[in-house]
Amino acid sequence: MKTMKWLIKREMWENKGMLLWTPVVIACIIATLVFISLFFGKMSGFQFDGHNVASVTIEGAMRARIAETMAQAYIGAGMPVLMILGLLVFFYCLGALHDERRDRSMLFWKSLPVSDLSTVLSKLLLAVVVAPLITMGVAVALGLVTLLAACFVLLAHGANLFGAVLSTPDLYLTPLRLLGLLPVYILWALPTVGWLLMVSSMARSKVFLWAVGTPVIGSLLLVWAEKALSFGIDAVWITSHITTRILLGVVPGSWLAFSKDVVAIDHEVNKMPLPDAIFNASWATLGSSTVWIGAAAGVAMIAVAVWMRRRREEA
């Protein structure tokens, strides 16, 4: 356990600029834009139920509904940070095993009493656990800053919602819901992470072309074979269930494409709040065999990456 902790720390030290400072810088840019908009008075036109909050008295039921909506939706301000997580994990995994062969640092790490399995697992844990936790923390912080700015705007219009927002349970449940989606993210990201680590352990150059070009060109050939040669294969199904899983599994929320009807039913028909509907639909996807087959394939590809690293002792 101690060895794994230091391996993860080593990976974090080597990739701090990508995995830590990139989401922090993006969050700072968004927060700066929010404060600039606030300073120039561009956020004075808040609408709620078709009414401008500056032109109505916020009391009673409307006050409670506005506070509840703000407490549920403030994490939306951090969505750009969460979306960049997919790119960060994608490019980290793409170079995780290739870069150490390119700069010959693998020779040094091979000289240490650390197994190839532990090294690859440390890279896996950084990609699917540590990086998402960092990004979630930055996104929540950005959301809270934006929520604070919105409360100050409303205060300038005579509506003090600080107490109402702070007493709303959703203010504290929203980060917990986000954290509760981490196991779902890990399972859906495994095929992509496994594929990228396997390609990174095999390719001697042009890693991006191998990782992206192989499934894309393969899908195009299958579509051509279906149309021109009447192979009788469902190329569209293969593209949406295999190619998409291989390339886009690290994008947060990608699993909602398989459960968008559940979200719509819970939110529009059952009148469930949107955050709860998304949370329930996300966990509901684990009842499908698709996610488990993909996760098993991801584990198999990670095993291949370990096997390849064990044999990549280049002089």
Side-chain angles (χ1 to χ4, degrees):
M1 183 63 69
K2 187 175 181 180
T3 301
M4 182 60 65
K5 182 183 74 172
W6 282 106
L7 285 173
I8 293 175
K9 282 186 176 181
R10 187 260 290 189
E11 290 294 324
M12 193 64 209
W13 290 334
E14 292 183 351
N15 299 275
K16 184 179 291 186
M18 176 192 295
L19 300 179
L20 175 61
W21 294 119
T22 297
V24 168
V25 169
I26 292 174
C28 289
I29 292 173
I30 295 174
T32 301
L33 293 176
V34 169
F35 284 117
I36 290 175
S37 179
L38 177 64
F39 180 78
F40 287 104
K42 301 298 183 181
M43 297 174 64
S44 59
F46 282 152
Q47 298 285 329
F48 187 81
D49 283 351
H51 301 287
N52 190 313
V53 296
S55 61
V56 297
T57 302
I58 303 176
E59 294 294 343
M62 177 175 285
R63 177 189 179 87
R65 287 168 59 197
I66 292 178
E68 183 180 7
T69 301
M70 293 173 66
Q72 291 175 351
Y74 75 90
I75 197 65
M79 288 306 296
V81 178
L82 292 175
M83 288 298 101
I84 204 68
L85 172 64
L87 287 175
L88 299 180
V89 173
F90 188 96
F91 285 102
Y92 166 74
C93 293
L94 203 59
L97 296 174
H98 175 264
D99 290 347
E100 65 178 13
R101 287 187 288 117
R102 184 182 59 184
D103 59 18
R104 307 303 192 200
S105 63
M106 187 177 73
L107 298 175
F108 170 74
W109 297 114
K110 284 275 191 177
S111 67
L112 300 178
V114 178
S115 67
D116 296 286
L117 176 61
S118 297
T119 301
V120 175
L121 286 181
S122 68
K123 298 175 185 294
L124 171 66
L125 290 175
L126 186 68
V128 300
V129 178
V130 178
L133 287 176
I134 292 173
T135 308
M136 287 179 187
V138 175
V140 170
L142 175 60
L144 290 173
V145 169
T146 306
L147 178 64
L148 186 65
C151 287
F152 274 114
V153 170
L154 293 174
L155 182 62
H157 292 291
N160 186 354
L161 292 184
F162 281 99
V165 170
L166 290 174
S167 62
T168 303
D170 283 311
L171 177 67
Y172 311 99
L173 291 177
T174 296
L176 296 179
R177 290 193 193 99
L178 188 61
L179 183 62
L181 292 178
L182 182 60
V184 180
Y185 177 80
I186 292 173
L187 289 172
W188 280 94
L190 271 177
T192 303
V193 172
W195 167 255
L196 295 174
L197 288 176
M198 185 177 70
V199 173
S200 182
S201 69
M202 292 180 173
R204 295 182 181 273
S205 62
K206 309 296 188 296
V207 189
F208 181 81
L209 292 179
W210 281 107
V212 178
T214 301
V216 170
I217 293 175
S219 298
L220 293 176
L221 288 175
L222 287 176
V223 172
W224 174 81
E226 179 187 14
K227 302 296 183 182
L229 303 179
S230 301
F231 263 30
I233 55 177
D234 192 348
V236 175
W237 185 92
I238 293 175
T239 301
S240 60
H241 286 78
I242 297 180
T243 306
T244 303
R245 290 291 307 279
I246 286 177
L247 295 179
L248 301 179
V250 293
V251 177
S254 60
W255 54 84
L256 292 178
F258 296 87
S259 59
K260 55 186 177 181
D261 293 336
V262 178
V263 175
I265 291 173
D266 286 342
H267 180 55
E268 298 174 7
V269 179
N270 298 332
K271 303 302 181 183
M272 184 181 294
L274 186 58
D276 290 337
I278 293 175
F279 184 84
N280 291 346
S282 298
W283 275 95
T285 60
L286 301 189
S288 170
S289 60
T290 303
V291 61
W292 297 105
I293 294 173
V299 171
M301 288 185 282
I302 291 169
V304 173
V306 175
W307 183 81
M308 288 297 300
R309 188 182 190 275
R310 190 170 295 144
R311 284 153 180 77
R312 290 288 191 178
E313 298 185 19
E314 301 175 358

